[in-house]
Amino acid sequence: MPDDDLLRSTLRDQWHLVPAEITALPGGLLSHGWDVTAGGERFVARLADPAARQPVEAGLAAAEHLRGTGIEAGEPVRTLAGGLTAETPAGALAVLRRAPGRTLDGRDPVDQQFWGDRLGAVHSRLQGFHHPGLRRWNLLDPEAAHLAIEPWLRPAVTEAVTAMTRLTVTDRLTYGVLHGDPAPEIFLIDPATGRAGLLDCGASGTGPLLYDVAAAVVYAGGTDTSAELLDGYLAAGPVDEDELHAALPVLLRFRWAVQADWSAQRLVRGDDGNAREALGRARQALAETTGAA
């Protein structure tokens, strides 16, 4: 996480933006975001790990593509040097001009409909989108050193990866461009027009589209509290109901393993933040789905 001075100086030096106000955005597992007001306009600043610079730039290109298809999305703002991102000691920083509207409440049934509908529309509109920075689907590494931080962690991640591998081999899944971290706070509804959109496309990659759906279900509190989200997605997305119901439990387990892996990496680096709490939530969820202690 950059401190406030680093964020302000980077925005000033790389974009000539002098923030009047900076507010941290809630939500998000794989990156950090801020709502920035500067020069009478609103922007979103998004920071990802240094290794994710190319996927972040792919996400920015995906946002531009979506805008061209009629979906409201943040407009990428290039640096003074013409780049899509700027390197900082804390990672790759991107800036987007904020699309109009308020962010969604993931527990509200009406907002869930908008959320699912827009996620489905994003998946549909990005069919056929290509960019050299898109990461290919990559399973977690059960042998990674950071998984030794807790005795339960490696076996739980291994079980999730094994189940995911079996699913990808035995079932026909719908693949495409993933958002990667579709928290409700990423999506917007403009009360003035009724149009729904999203802030940005994150660090995009390609993989089973149900991974994004599983991530959204986790943010919504689980399958028992996400019926409207799933209905909205099925109405607009390219995944059919049979695939969703058959594969979602495995993808949910895998998403929790991703959260556990992410949290363990940050704890090993000494970047606690909310990582300890996130690891605890992942442990409970993985125990409930795998029988792990």
Side-chain angles (χ1 to χ4, degrees), residues 58-67 69 71 118-131 134 175-180 198 200-202 204-206 209 212 238:
L60 295 170
E64 289 185 316
H65 176 84
L66 289 173
R67 287 170 55 81
T69 69
I71 291 182
R118 287 300 83 183
L119 181 58
V122 166
H123 283 170
S124 295
R125 305 285 176 87
L126 289 179
Q127 294 286 299
F129 171 77
H130 300 285
H131 187 279
L134 286 173
Y175 282 72
V177 178
L178 299 170
H179 182 283
L198 69 164
D200 59 55
C201 286
S204 283
T206 58
L209 295 180
D212 269 356

PDB file of all heavy atoms in Angstrom, residues 58-67 69 71 118-131 134 175-180 198 200-202 204-206 209 212 238:
ATOM      1  N   ALA A  58      -4.068  -4.681 -19.841  1.00  0.00           N
ATOM      2  CA  ALA A  58      -5.080  -5.418 -20.598  1.00  0.00           C
ATOM      3  C   ALA A  58      -6.480  -5.054 -20.107  1.00  0.00           C
ATOM      4  O   ALA A  58      -7.414  -4.913 -20.898  1.00  0.00           O
ATOM      5  CB  ALA A  58      -4.843  -6.919 -20.472  1.00  0.00           C
ATOM      6  N   GLY A  59      -6.618  -4.898 -18.771  1.00  0.00           N
ATOM      7  CA  GLY A  59      -7.902  -4.499 -18.211  1.00  0.00           C
ATOM      8  C   GLY A  59      -8.318  -3.111 -18.655  1.00  0.00           C
ATOM      9  O   GLY A  59      -9.501  -2.850 -18.904  1.00  0.00           O
ATOM     10  N   LEU A  60      -7.365  -2.214 -18.763  1.00  0.00           N
ATOM     11  CA  LEU A  60      -7.672  -0.870 -19.245  1.00  0.00           C
ATOM     12  C   LEU A  60      -8.121  -0.907 -20.705  1.00  0.00           C
ATOM     13  O   LEU A  60      -9.060  -0.205 -21.102  1.00  0.00           O
ATOM     14  CB  LEU A  60      -6.449   0.030 -19.085  1.00  0.00           C
ATOM     15  CG  LEU A  60      -6.012   0.293 -17.645  1.00  0.00           C
ATOM     16  CD1 LEU A  60      -4.659   0.987 -17.612  1.00  0.00           C
ATOM     17  CD2 LEU A  60      -7.035   1.110 -16.890  1.00  0.00           C
ATOM     18  N   ALA A  61      -7.447  -1.724 -21.511  1.00  0.00           N
ATOM     19  CA  ALA A  61      -7.865  -1.883 -22.903  1.00  0.00           C
ATOM     20  C   ALA A  61      -9.252  -2.511 -22.982  1.00  0.00           C
ATOM     21  O   ALA A  61     -10.066  -2.142 -23.837  1.00  0.00           O
ATOM     22  CB  ALA A  61      -6.849  -2.733 -23.662  1.00  0.00           C
ATOM     23  N   ALA A  62      -9.539  -3.450 -22.072  1.00  0.00           N
ATOM     24  CA  ALA A  62     -10.873  -4.060 -22.040  1.00  0.00           C
ATOM     25  C   ALA A  62     -11.930  -3.020 -21.692  1.00  0.00           C
ATOM     26  O   ALA A  62     -13.037  -3.037 -22.246  1.00  0.00           O
ATOM     27  CB  ALA A  62     -10.896  -5.205 -21.038  1.00  0.00           C
ATOM     28  N   ALA A  63     -11.608  -2.111 -20.766  1.00  0.00           N
ATOM     29  CA  ALA A  63     -12.549  -1.045 -20.416  1.00  0.00           C
ATOM     30  C   ALA A  63     -12.840  -0.160 -21.625  1.00  0.00           C
ATOM     31  O   ALA A  63     -13.996   0.213 -21.874  1.00  0.00           O
ATOM     32  CB  ALA A  63     -12.003  -0.211 -19.261  1.00  0.00           C
ATOM     33  N   GLU A  64     -11.801   0.163 -22.398  1.00  0.00           N
ATOM     34  CA  GLU A  64     -12.004   0.956 -23.616  1.00  0.00           C
ATOM     35  C   GLU A  64     -12.889   0.195 -24.608  1.00  0.00           C
ATOM     36  O   GLU A  64     -13.760   0.781 -25.262  1.00  0.00           O
ATOM     37  CB  GLU A  64     -10.655   1.297 -24.241  1.00  0.00           C
ATOM     38  CG  GLU A  64      -9.849   2.308 -23.438  1.00  0.00           C
ATOM     39  CD  GLU A  64      -8.573   2.708 -24.128  1.00  0.00           C
ATOM     40  OE1 GLU A  64      -7.874   1.819 -24.652  1.00  0.00           O
ATOM     41  OE2 GLU A  64      -8.250   3.918 -24.132  1.00  0.00           O
ATOM     42  N   HIS A  65     -12.664  -1.100 -24.718  1.00  0.00           N
ATOM     43  CA  HIS A  65     -13.479  -1.924 -25.611  1.00  0.00           C
ATOM     44  C   HIS A  65     -14.945  -1.905 -25.174  1.00  0.00           C
ATOM     45  O   HIS A  65     -15.846  -1.758 -26.010  1.00  0.00           O
ATOM     46  CB  HIS A  65     -12.938  -3.352 -25.618  1.00  0.00           C
ATOM     47  CG  HIS A  65     -13.761  -4.313 -26.420  1.00  0.00           C
ATOM     48  ND1 HIS A  65     -13.618  -4.462 -27.788  1.00  0.00           N
ATOM     49  CD2 HIS A  65     -14.758  -5.171 -26.051  1.00  0.00           C
ATOM     50  CE1 HIS A  65     -14.488  -5.360 -28.222  1.00  0.00           C
ATOM     51  NE2 HIS A  65     -15.185  -5.815 -27.190  1.00  0.00           N
ATOM     52  N   LEU A  66     -15.182  -2.060 -23.871  1.00  0.00           N
ATOM     53  CA  LEU A  66     -16.552  -2.071 -23.367  1.00  0.00           C
ATOM     54  C   LEU A  66     -17.246  -0.745 -23.637  1.00  0.00           C
ATOM     55  O   LEU A  66     -18.437  -0.718 -23.985  1.00  0.00           O
ATOM     56  CB  LEU A  66     -16.558  -2.373 -21.867  1.00  0.00           C
ATOM     57  CG  LEU A  66     -16.188  -3.803 -21.476  1.00  0.00           C
ATOM     58  CD1 LEU A  66     -16.067  -3.917 -19.962  1.00  0.00           C
ATOM     59  CD2 LEU A  66     -17.213  -4.802 -22.008  1.00  0.00           C
ATOM     60  N   ARG A  67     -16.521   0.353 -23.479  1.00  0.00           N
ATOM     61  CA  ARG A  67     -17.106   1.663 -23.762  1.00  0.00           C
ATOM     62  C   ARG A  67     -17.570   1.739 -25.216  1.00  0.00           C
ATOM     63  O   ARG A  67     -18.589   2.349 -25.521  1.00  0.00           O
ATOM     64  CB  ARG A  67     -16.101   2.761 -23.456  1.00  0.00           C
ATOM     65  CG  ARG A  67     -15.888   2.988 -21.962  1.00  0.00           C
ATOM     66  CD  ARG A  67     -14.686   3.916 -21.701  1.00  0.00           C
ATOM     67  NE  ARG A  67     -14.813   5.175 -22.396  1.00  0.00           N
ATOM     68  CZ  ARG A  67     -15.543   6.210 -21.977  1.00  0.00           C
ATOM     69  NH1 ARG A  67     -16.208   6.112 -20.835  1.00  0.00           N
ATOM     70  NH2 ARG A  67     -15.610   7.317 -22.669  1.00  0.00           N
ATOM     71  N   THR A  69     -18.775  -0.646 -26.876  1.00  0.00           N
ATOM     72  CA  THR A  69     -19.955  -1.498 -27.077  1.00  0.00           C
ATOM     73  C   THR A  69     -21.178  -0.964 -26.340  1.00  0.00           C
ATOM     74  O   THR A  69     -22.220  -1.618 -26.325  1.00  0.00           O
ATOM     75  CB  THR A  69     -19.683  -2.937 -26.596  1.00  0.00           C
ATOM     76  OG1 THR A  69     -19.558  -2.957 -25.168  1.00  0.00           O
ATOM     77  CG2 THR A  69     -18.434  -3.504 -27.242  1.00  0.00           C
ATOM     78  N   ILE A  71     -21.294  -0.108 -22.972  1.00  0.00           N
ATOM     79  CA  ILE A  71     -21.304  -0.338 -21.527  1.00  0.00           C
ATOM     80  C   ILE A  71     -20.538   0.785 -20.837  1.00  0.00           C
ATOM     81  O   ILE A  71     -19.406   1.102 -21.206  1.00  0.00           O
ATOM     82  CB  ILE A  71     -20.666  -1.697 -21.174  1.00  0.00           C
ATOM     83  CG1 ILE A  71     -21.566  -2.829 -21.661  1.00  0.00           C
ATOM     84  CG2 ILE A  71     -20.440  -1.827 -19.674  1.00  0.00           C
ATOM     85  CD1 ILE A  71     -21.061  -4.216 -21.333  1.00  0.00           C
ATOM     86  N   ARG A 118     -24.706  -6.778 -15.233  1.00  0.00           N
ATOM     87  CA  ARG A 118     -23.525  -6.128 -15.813  1.00  0.00           C
ATOM     88  C   ARG A 118     -22.350  -7.087 -15.924  1.00  0.00           C
ATOM     89  O   ARG A 118     -21.595  -7.045 -16.898  1.00  0.00           O
ATOM     90  CB  ARG A 118     -23.130  -4.902 -14.999  1.00  0.00           C
ATOM     91  CG  ARG A 118     -24.044  -3.706 -15.141  1.00  0.00           C
ATOM     92  CD  ARG A 118     -24.129  -3.199 -16.578  1.00  0.00           C
ATOM     93  NE  ARG A 118     -25.101  -3.968 -17.380  1.00  0.00           N
ATOM     94  CZ  ARG A 118     -25.327  -3.778 -18.674  1.00  0.00           C
ATOM     95  NH1 ARG A 118     -24.630  -2.855 -19.331  1.00  0.00           N
ATOM     96  NH2 ARG A 118     -26.215  -4.491 -19.324  1.00  0.00           N
ATOM     97  N   LEU A 119     -22.186  -7.967 -14.941  1.00  0.00           N
ATOM     98  CA  LEU A 119     -21.111  -8.947 -15.048  1.00  0.00           C
ATOM     99  C   LEU A 119     -21.354  -9.865 -16.244  1.00  0.00           C
ATOM    100  O   LEU A 119     -20.431 -10.165 -17.017  1.00  0.00           O
ATOM    101  CB  LEU A 119     -20.993  -9.757 -13.763  1.00  0.00           C
ATOM    102  CG  LEU A 119     -19.883 -10.823 -13.737  1.00  0.00           C
ATOM    103  CD1 LEU A 119     -18.514 -10.207 -13.992  1.00  0.00           C
ATOM    104  CD2 LEU A 119     -19.904 -11.577 -12.407  1.00  0.00           C
ATOM    105  N   GLY A 120     -22.598 -10.294 -16.413  1.00  0.00           N
ATOM    106  CA  GLY A 120     -22.927 -11.117 -17.568  1.00  0.00           C
ATOM    107  C   GLY A 120     -22.719 -10.375 -18.873  1.00  0.00           C
ATOM    108  O   GLY A 120     -22.201 -10.940 -19.856  1.00  0.00           O
ATOM    109  N   ALA A 121     -23.117  -9.095 -18.913  1.00  0.00           N
ATOM    110  CA  ALA A 121     -22.938  -8.301 -20.132  1.00  0.00           C
ATOM    111  C   ALA A 121     -21.461  -8.102 -20.439  1.00  0.00           C
ATOM    112  O   ALA A 121     -21.046  -8.150 -21.602  1.00  0.00           O
ATOM    113  CB  ALA A 121     -23.632  -6.946 -19.972  1.00  0.00           C
ATOM    114  N   VAL A 122     -20.652  -7.876 -19.409  1.00  0.00           N
ATOM    115  CA  VAL A 122     -19.206  -7.725 -19.612  1.00  0.00           C
ATOM    116  C   VAL A 122     -18.630  -9.002 -20.214  1.00  0.00           C
ATOM    117  O   VAL A 122     -17.854  -8.968 -21.179  1.00  0.00           O
ATOM    118  CB  VAL A 122     -18.512  -7.381 -18.277  1.00  0.00           C
ATOM    119  CG1 VAL A 122     -16.996  -7.566 -18.380  1.00  0.00           C
ATOM    120  CG2 VAL A 122     -18.828  -5.945 -17.877  1.00  0.00           C
ATOM    121  N   HIS A 123     -18.993 -10.145 -19.658  1.00  0.00           N
ATOM    122  CA  HIS A 123     -18.505 -11.415 -20.204  1.00  0.00           C
ATOM    123  C   HIS A 123     -18.931 -11.585 -21.661  1.00  0.00           C
ATOM    124  O   HIS A 123     -18.141 -12.042 -22.504  1.00  0.00           O
ATOM    125  CB  HIS A 123     -19.032 -12.578 -19.372  1.00  0.00           C
ATOM    126  CG  HIS A 123     -18.313 -12.773 -18.073  1.00  0.00           C
ATOM    127  ND1 HIS A 123     -18.766 -13.645 -17.102  1.00  0.00           N
ATOM    128  CD2 HIS A 123     -17.175 -12.221 -17.580  1.00  0.00           C
ATOM    129  CE1 HIS A 123     -17.932 -13.628 -16.081  1.00  0.00           C
ATOM    130  NE2 HIS A 123     -16.969 -12.762 -16.341  1.00  0.00           N
ATOM    131  N   SER A 124     -20.169 -11.232 -21.962  1.00  0.00           N
ATOM    132  CA  SER A 124     -20.664 -11.390 -23.330  1.00  0.00           C
ATOM    133  C   SER A 124     -19.965 -10.450 -24.293  1.00  0.00           C
ATOM    134  O   SER A 124     -19.560 -10.849 -25.400  1.00  0.00           O
ATOM    135  CB  SER A 124     -22.185 -11.150 -23.365  1.00  0.00           C
ATOM    136  OG  SER A 124     -22.877 -12.137 -22.637  1.00  0.00           O
ATOM    137  N   ARG A 125     -19.795  -9.191 -23.898  1.00  0.00           N
ATOM    138  CA  ARG A 125     -19.210  -8.193 -24.803  1.00  0.00           C
ATOM    139  C   ARG A 125     -17.707  -8.401 -24.994  1.00  0.00           C
ATOM    140  O   ARG A 125     -17.143  -7.905 -25.973  1.00  0.00           O
ATOM    141  CB  ARG A 125     -19.469  -6.786 -24.266  1.00  0.00           C
ATOM    142  CG  ARG A 125     -20.930  -6.460 -24.008  1.00  0.00           C
ATOM    143  CD  ARG A 125     -21.724  -6.196 -25.271  1.00  0.00           C
ATOM    144  NE  ARG A 125     -23.132  -5.978 -24.969  1.00  0.00           N
ATOM    145  CZ  ARG A 125     -23.659  -4.804 -24.643  1.00  0.00           C
ATOM    146  NH1 ARG A 125     -22.875  -3.728 -24.555  1.00  0.00           N
ATOM    147  NH2 ARG A 125     -24.956  -4.697 -24.381  1.00  0.00           N
ATOM    148  N   LEU A 126     -17.064  -9.099 -24.059  1.00  0.00           N
ATOM    149  CA  LEU A 126     -15.623  -9.333 -24.191  1.00  0.00           C
ATOM    150  C   LEU A 126     -15.312 -10.651 -24.897  1.00  0.00           C
ATOM    151  O   LEU A 126     -14.139 -11.007 -25.036  1.00  0.00           O
ATOM    152  CB  LEU A 126     -14.946  -9.312 -22.810  1.00  0.00           C
ATOM    153  CG  LEU A 126     -14.862  -7.944 -22.142  1.00  0.00           C
ATOM    154  CD1 LEU A 126     -14.207  -8.053 -20.775  1.00  0.00           C
ATOM    155  CD2 LEU A 126     -14.088  -6.940 -23.012  1.00  0.00           C
ATOM    156  N   GLN A 127     -16.346 -11.378 -25.336  1.00  0.00           N
ATOM    157  CA  GLN A 127     -16.095 -12.555 -26.154  1.00  0.00           C
ATOM    158  C   GLN A 127     -15.406 -12.103 -27.444  1.00  0.00           C
ATOM    159  O   GLN A 127     -15.880 -11.231 -28.154  1.00  0.00           O
ATOM    160  CB  GLN A 127     -17.407 -13.270 -26.488  1.00  0.00           C
ATOM    161  CG  GLN A 127     -18.115 -13.868 -25.284  1.00  0.00           C
ATOM    162  CD  GLN A 127     -17.442 -15.121 -24.755  1.00  0.00           C
ATOM    163  OE1 GLN A 127     -17.331 -16.114 -25.464  1.00  0.00           O
ATOM    164  NE2 GLN A 127     -16.999 -15.070 -23.517  1.00  0.00           N
ATOM    165  N   GLY A 128     -14.265 -12.664 -27.748  1.00  0.00           N
ATOM    166  CA  GLY A 128     -13.520 -12.261 -28.937  1.00  0.00           C
ATOM    167  C   GLY A 128     -12.525 -11.135 -28.702  1.00  0.00           C
ATOM    168  O   GLY A 128     -11.768 -10.792 -29.614  1.00  0.00           O
ATOM    169  N   PHE A 129     -12.517 -10.545 -27.500  1.00  0.00           N
ATOM    170  CA  PHE A 129     -11.538  -9.498 -27.200  1.00  0.00           C
ATOM    171  C   PHE A 129     -10.171 -10.131 -26.961  1.00  0.00           C
ATOM    172  O   PHE A 129     -10.052 -11.133 -26.259  1.00  0.00           O
ATOM    173  CB  PHE A 129     -11.972  -8.708 -25.957  1.00  0.00           C
ATOM    174  CG  PHE A 129     -10.932  -7.750 -25.442  1.00  0.00           C
ATOM    175  CD1 PHE A 129     -10.713  -6.543 -26.078  1.00  0.00           C
ATOM    176  CD2 PHE A 129     -10.162  -8.070 -24.333  1.00  0.00           C
ATOM    177  CE1 PHE A 129      -9.748  -5.653 -25.606  1.00  0.00           C
ATOM    178  CE2 PHE A 129      -9.203  -7.198 -23.855  1.00  0.00           C
ATOM    179  CZ  PHE A 129      -9.001  -5.982 -24.498  1.00  0.00           C
ATOM    180  N   HIS A 130      -9.136  -9.550 -27.532  1.00  0.00           N
ATOM    181  CA  HIS A 130      -7.778 -10.074 -27.377  1.00  0.00           C
ATOM    182  C   HIS A 130      -6.831  -8.937 -27.001  1.00  0.00           C
ATOM    183  O   HIS A 130      -7.002  -7.793 -27.437  1.00  0.00           O
ATOM    184  CB  HIS A 130      -7.293 -10.734 -28.673  1.00  0.00           C
ATOM    185  CG  HIS A 130      -8.138 -11.884 -29.126  1.00  0.00           C
ATOM    186  ND1 HIS A 130      -8.105 -13.117 -28.515  1.00  0.00           N
ATOM    187  CD2 HIS A 130      -9.066 -11.977 -30.119  1.00  0.00           C
ATOM    188  CE1 HIS A 130      -8.952 -13.937 -29.116  1.00  0.00           C
ATOM    189  NE2 HIS A 130      -9.562 -13.267 -30.087  1.00  0.00           N
ATOM    190  N   HIS A 131      -5.837  -9.273 -26.189  1.00  0.00           N
ATOM    191  CA  HIS A 131      -4.799  -8.313 -25.812  1.00  0.00           C
ATOM    192  C   HIS A 131      -3.581  -9.114 -25.357  1.00  0.00           C
ATOM    193  O   HIS A 131      -3.732 -10.120 -24.642  1.00  0.00           O
ATOM    194  CB  HIS A 131      -5.293  -7.401 -24.684  1.00  0.00           C
ATOM    195  CG  HIS A 131      -4.365  -6.277 -24.355  1.00  0.00           C
ATOM    196  ND1 HIS A 131      -3.248  -6.434 -23.538  1.00  0.00           N
ATOM    197  CD2 HIS A 131      -4.374  -4.972 -24.734  1.00  0.00           C
ATOM    198  CE1 HIS A 131      -2.631  -5.278 -23.436  1.00  0.00           C
ATOM    199  NE2 HIS A 131      -3.291  -4.373 -24.141  1.00  0.00           N
ATOM    200  N   LEU A 134      -3.239 -10.122 -21.544  1.00  0.00           N
ATOM    201  CA  LEU A 134      -4.178 -10.991 -20.847  1.00  0.00           C
ATOM    202  C   LEU A 134      -3.447 -12.228 -20.315  1.00  0.00           C
ATOM    203  O   LEU A 134      -2.798 -12.950 -21.068  1.00  0.00           O
ATOM    204  CB  LEU A 134      -5.306 -11.439 -21.784  1.00  0.00           C
ATOM    205  CG  LEU A 134      -6.365 -10.396 -22.141  1.00  0.00           C
ATOM    206  CD1 LEU A 134      -7.300 -10.957 -23.204  1.00  0.00           C
ATOM    207  CD2 LEU A 134      -7.160  -9.978 -20.915  1.00  0.00           C
ATOM    208  N   TYR A 175     -15.175 -20.508 -21.409  1.00  0.00           N
ATOM    209  CA  TYR A 175     -13.999 -19.682 -21.141  1.00  0.00           C
ATOM    210  C   TYR A 175     -14.157 -18.319 -21.807  1.00  0.00           C
ATOM    211  O   TYR A 175     -14.906 -18.156 -22.770  1.00  0.00           O
ATOM    212  CB  TYR A 175     -12.737 -20.366 -21.676  1.00  0.00           C
ATOM    213  CG  TYR A 175     -12.212 -21.480 -20.800  1.00  0.00           C
ATOM    214  CD1 TYR A 175     -12.888 -22.690 -20.708  1.00  0.00           C
ATOM    215  CD2 TYR A 175     -11.039 -21.321 -20.058  1.00  0.00           C
ATOM    216  CE1 TYR A 175     -12.416 -23.715 -19.899  1.00  0.00           C
ATOM    217  CE2 TYR A 175     -10.555 -22.341 -19.253  1.00  0.00           C
ATOM    218  CZ  TYR A 175     -11.246 -23.532 -19.182  1.00  0.00           C
ATOM    219  OH  TYR A 175     -10.775 -24.535 -18.387  1.00  0.00           O
ATOM    220  N   GLY A 176     -13.431 -17.337 -21.287  1.00  0.00           N
ATOM    221  CA  GLY A 176     -13.453 -16.000 -21.857  1.00  0.00           C
ATOM    222  C   GLY A 176     -12.590 -15.079 -21.038  1.00  0.00           C
ATOM    223  O   GLY A 176     -11.741 -15.513 -20.257  1.00  0.00           O
ATOM    224  N   VAL A 177     -12.808 -13.783 -21.215  1.00  0.00           N
ATOM    225  CA  VAL A 177     -12.038 -12.766 -20.501  1.00  0.00           C
ATOM    226  C   VAL A 177     -12.654 -12.546 -19.125  1.00  0.00           C
ATOM    227  O   VAL A 177     -13.851 -12.269 -19.006  1.00  0.00           O
ATOM    228  CB  VAL A 177     -11.989 -11.439 -21.282  1.00  0.00           C
ATOM    229  CG1 VAL A 177     -11.224 -10.374 -20.494  1.00  0.00           C
ATOM    230  CG2 VAL A 177     -11.339 -11.658 -22.646  1.00  0.00           C
ATOM    231  N   LEU A 178     -11.828 -12.667 -18.099  1.00  0.00           N
ATOM    232  CA  LEU A 178     -12.277 -12.508 -16.721  1.00  0.00           C
ATOM    233  C   LEU A 178     -12.020 -11.090 -16.227  1.00  0.00           C
ATOM    234  O   LEU A 178     -11.025 -10.460 -16.588  1.00  0.00           O
ATOM    235  CB  LEU A 178     -11.513 -13.468 -15.808  1.00  0.00           C
ATOM    236  CG  LEU A 178     -11.657 -14.964 -16.082  1.00  0.00           C
ATOM    237  CD1 LEU A 178     -10.645 -15.741 -15.249  1.00  0.00           C
ATOM    238  CD2 LEU A 178     -13.071 -15.415 -15.769  1.00  0.00           C
ATOM    239  N   HIS A 179     -12.899 -10.609 -15.360  1.00  0.00           N
ATOM    240  CA  HIS A 179     -12.592  -9.401 -14.606  1.00  0.00           C
ATOM    241  C   HIS A 179     -11.554  -9.725 -13.546  1.00  0.00           C
ATOM    242  O   HIS A 179     -10.596  -8.981 -13.340  1.00  0.00           O
ATOM    243  CB  HIS A 179     -13.852  -8.822 -13.962  1.00  0.00           C
ATOM    244  CG  HIS A 179     -13.598  -7.548 -13.219  1.00  0.00           C
ATOM    245  ND1 HIS A 179     -13.010  -7.516 -11.972  1.00  0.00           N
ATOM    246  CD2 HIS A 179     -13.831  -6.247 -13.559  1.00  0.00           C
ATOM    247  CE1 HIS A 179     -12.895  -6.259 -11.575  1.00  0.00           C
ATOM    248  NE2 HIS A 179     -13.399  -5.472 -12.519  1.00  0.00           N
ATOM    249  N   GLY A 180     -11.749 -10.827 -12.847  1.00  0.00           N
ATOM    250  CA  GLY A 180     -10.799 -11.294 -11.854  1.00  0.00           C
ATOM    251  C   GLY A 180     -11.177 -10.988 -10.426  1.00  0.00           C
ATOM    252  O   GLY A 180     -10.900 -11.770  -9.524  1.00  0.00           O
ATOM    253  N   LEU A 198     -19.471  -0.064 -14.749  1.00  0.00           N
ATOM    254  CA  LEU A 198     -18.439  -0.487 -13.818  1.00  0.00           C
ATOM    255  C   LEU A 198     -17.279   0.489 -13.836  1.00  0.00           C
ATOM    256  O   LEU A 198     -17.100   1.270 -14.779  1.00  0.00           O
ATOM    257  CB  LEU A 198     -17.945  -1.900 -14.133  1.00  0.00           C
ATOM    258  CG  LEU A 198     -17.138  -2.147 -15.406  1.00  0.00           C
ATOM    259  CD1 LEU A 198     -16.421  -3.506 -15.302  1.00  0.00           C
ATOM    260  CD2 LEU A 198     -18.025  -2.156 -16.647  1.00  0.00           C
ATOM    261  N   ASP A 200     -13.876  -0.280 -13.522  1.00  0.00           N
ATOM    262  CA  ASP A 200     -12.751  -0.730 -14.331  1.00  0.00           C
ATOM    263  C   ASP A 200     -12.805  -2.241 -14.487  1.00  0.00           C
ATOM    264  O   ASP A 200     -13.675  -2.903 -13.928  1.00  0.00           O
ATOM    265  CB  ASP A 200     -11.417  -0.305 -13.701  1.00  0.00           C
ATOM    266  CG  ASP A 200     -11.215  -0.856 -12.300  1.00  0.00           C
ATOM    267  OD1 ASP A 200     -11.304  -2.082 -12.134  1.00  0.00           O
ATOM    268  OD2 ASP A 200     -10.949  -0.070 -11.370  1.00  0.00           O
ATOM    269  N   CYS A 201     -11.869  -2.782 -15.253  1.00  0.00           N
ATOM    270  CA  CYS A 201     -11.843  -4.219 -15.527  1.00  0.00           C
ATOM    271  C   CYS A 201     -10.735  -4.940 -14.784  1.00  0.00           C
ATOM    272  O   CYS A 201     -10.423  -6.091 -15.103  1.00  0.00           O
ATOM    273  CB  CYS A 201     -11.695  -4.465 -17.032  1.00  0.00           C
ATOM    274  SG  CYS A 201     -13.194  -4.122 -17.953  1.00  0.00           S
ATOM    275  N   GLY A 202     -10.105  -4.299 -13.820  1.00  0.00           N
ATOM    276  CA  GLY A 202      -9.121  -4.978 -13.003  1.00  0.00           C
ATOM    277  C   GLY A 202      -7.914  -5.436 -13.791  1.00  0.00           C
ATOM    278  O   GLY A 202      -7.582  -4.909 -14.849  1.00  0.00           O
ATOM    279  N   SER A 204      -7.000  -8.031 -15.933  1.00  0.00           N
ATOM    280  CA  SER A 204      -7.760  -9.024 -16.675  1.00  0.00           C
ATOM    281  C   SER A 204      -6.925 -10.230 -17.064  1.00  0.00           C
ATOM    282  O   SER A 204      -5.713 -10.156 -17.247  1.00  0.00           O
ATOM    283  CB  SER A 204      -8.354  -8.396 -17.940  1.00  0.00           C
ATOM    284  OG  SER A 204      -9.472  -7.607 -17.631  1.00  0.00           O
ATOM    285  N   GLY A 205      -7.625 -11.354 -17.208  1.00  0.00           N
ATOM    286  CA  GLY A 205      -7.031 -12.587 -17.691  1.00  0.00           C
ATOM    287  C   GLY A 205      -8.095 -13.399 -18.392  1.00  0.00           C
ATOM    288  O   GLY A 205      -9.234 -12.962 -18.556  1.00  0.00           O
ATOM    289  N   THR A 206      -7.736 -14.595 -18.833  1.00  0.00           N
ATOM    290  CA  THR A 206      -8.688 -15.486 -19.472  1.00  0.00           C
ATOM    291  C   THR A 206      -8.812 -16.763 -18.664  1.00  0.00           C
ATOM    292  O   THR A 206      -7.841 -17.238 -18.079  1.00  0.00           O
ATOM    293  CB  THR A 206      -8.244 -15.828 -20.906  1.00  0.00           C
ATOM    294  OG1 THR A 206      -6.940 -16.436 -20.873  1.00  0.00           O
ATOM    295  CG2 THR A 206      -8.188 -14.586 -21.768  1.00  0.00           C
ATOM    296  N   LEU A 209     -15.371 -18.569 -17.065  1.00  0.00           N
ATOM    297  CA  LEU A 209     -16.123 -17.383 -16.663  1.00  0.00           C
ATOM    298  C   LEU A 209     -16.779 -17.560 -15.297  1.00  0.00           C
ATOM    299  O   LEU A 209     -17.019 -16.574 -14.589  1.00  0.00           O
ATOM    300  CB  LEU A 209     -17.179 -17.051 -17.720  1.00  0.00           C
ATOM    301  CG  LEU A 209     -16.621 -16.629 -19.087  1.00  0.00           C
ATOM    302  CD1 LEU A 209     -17.760 -16.324 -20.052  1.00  0.00           C
ATOM    303  CD2 LEU A 209     -15.688 -15.430 -18.967  1.00  0.00           C
ATOM    304  N   ASP A 212     -15.306 -15.723 -12.160  1.00  0.00           N
ATOM    305  CA  ASP A 212     -15.817 -14.393 -11.807  1.00  0.00           C
ATOM    306  C   ASP A 212     -17.135 -14.500 -11.051  1.00  0.00           C
ATOM    307  O   ASP A 212     -17.380 -13.762 -10.088  1.00  0.00           O
ATOM    308  CB  ASP A 212     -16.045 -13.556 -13.072  1.00  0.00           C
ATOM    309  CG  ASP A 212     -14.832 -12.733 -13.469  1.00  0.00           C
ATOM    310  OD1 ASP A 212     -13.827 -12.738 -12.725  1.00  0.00           O
ATOM    311  OD2 ASP A 212     -14.890 -12.087 -14.539  1.00  0.00           O
ATOM    312  N   PRO A 238     -22.985 -15.481 -20.905  1.00  0.00           N
ATOM    313  CA  PRO A 238     -22.902 -16.583 -21.864  1.00  0.00           C
ATOM    314  C   PRO A 238     -22.904 -17.969 -21.236  1.00  0.00           C
ATOM    315  O   PRO A 238     -22.872 -18.971 -21.947  1.00  0.00           O
ATOM    316  CB  PRO A 238     -21.562 -16.314 -22.573  1.00  0.00           C
ATOM    317  CG  PRO A 238     -20.738 -15.600 -21.559  1.00  0.00           C
ATOM    318  CD  PRO A 238     -21.692 -14.793 -20.716  1.00  0.00           C
TER     319      PRO A 238
END
